[in-house]
Amino acid sequence: MTGSKKAGSKKAERERATLLDELSVASRRYMASYALFNQAVADHLQLHPTDLQCLNLLSLEAKPVTTGRIAELTGLTTGSATRLVDRLERAGYVVRERDAADRRRVLVATVPEKIAEFGRLWDRMAAGWNGIFEELGNDELAVLVGHMRRTVEFSAQQVTRLRGGEFG
């Protein structure tokens, strides 16, 4: 390898290290800002932040789900998921109903009117969020979508590891 190729390689390594450091800082700020945003929305709706995110996940499900499925979606124990459903039921966002196919099973269904109210809040806030992405091309949007999907998967793995005591 010639001297200029080595220098170029070292420069690329330094650039990458700098970018990874910047990404680490930006990611931490992003996660903190989202947690604070989530808290503000939860406060506005008079919900616990975890309950808000569960409601968000439930609104993405195609049909009513069991409390066990809610535990899977949230990473909570089934006992904690049951208490979460209790709180959402008291707030009027969900109802428990018997499964028509198996009367022994209880399903958690969202209340359409309350989900519509929840959706209207997101719609009012969405204009500002969508503006952030206006300047991005399709390739850049695809990178963001891929990153978010990988982050969701990785986060779920880390939650499992944390709850399994792997990190002490």
Side-chain angles (χ1 to χ4, degrees):
M1 187 181 293
T2 66
S4 66
K5 284 188 179 178
K6 266 188 181 176
S9 175
K10 294 271 190 215
K11 182 181 177 189
E13 287 175 19
R14 283 192 307 273
E15 255 179 56
R16 183 169 180 82
T18 298
L19 284 170
L20 288 171
D21 286 345
E22 287 179 30
L23 179 61
S24 176
V25 170
S27 292
R28 289 174 61 196
R29 288 185 192 282
Y30 173 81
M31 288 185 281
S33 72
Y34 190 81
L36 295 169
F37 168 75
N38 185 64
Q39 180 69 56
V41 173
D43 290 347
H44 179 78
L45 295 173
Q46 298 179 329
L47 293 173
H48 185 278
T50 303
D51 299 359
L52 173 65
Q53 288 310 310
C54 178
L55 189 59
N56 181 37
L57 292 170
L58 287 175
S59 72
L60 297 172
E61 292 290 301
K63 57 186 181 198
V65 299
T66 63
T67 302
R69 174 68 178 144
I70 291 171
E72 289 172 18
L73 288 170
T74 59
L76 296 172
T77 64
T78 53
S80 293
T82 297
R83 289 186 295 280
L84 185 152
V85 171
D86 290 344
R87 291 189 303 269
L88 286 176
E89 190 173 40
R90 277 192 304 275
Y93 285 97
V94 300
V95 292
R96 287 179 168 101
E97 54 188 37
R98 292 275 173 208
D99 184 346
D102 181 352
R103 301 290 297 156
R104 296 169 296 178
R105 274 179 27 144
V106 175
L107 299 175
V108 179
T110 56
V111 174
E113 300 80 16
K114 291 294 272 189
I115 293 300
E117 177 185 309
F118 181 65
R120 284 190 295 277
L121 174 62
W122 283 116
D123 289 345
R124 288 192 304 272
M125 291 187 295
W129 290 111
N130 292 339
I132 293 171
F133 304 110
E134 286 298 317
E135 67 191 39
L136 300 179
N138 290 348
D139 290 347
E140 292 169 302
L141 290 173
V143 167
L144 285 173
V145 169
H147 166 72
M148 288 184 176
R149 286 183 177 149
R150 287 188 304 277
T151 299
V152 167
E153 290 172 18
F154 184 72
S155 293
Q157 293 167 3
Q158 293 297 79
V159 166
T160 299
R161 293 174 71 196
L162 280 164
R163 292 204 168 123
E166 189 172 323
F167 295 108

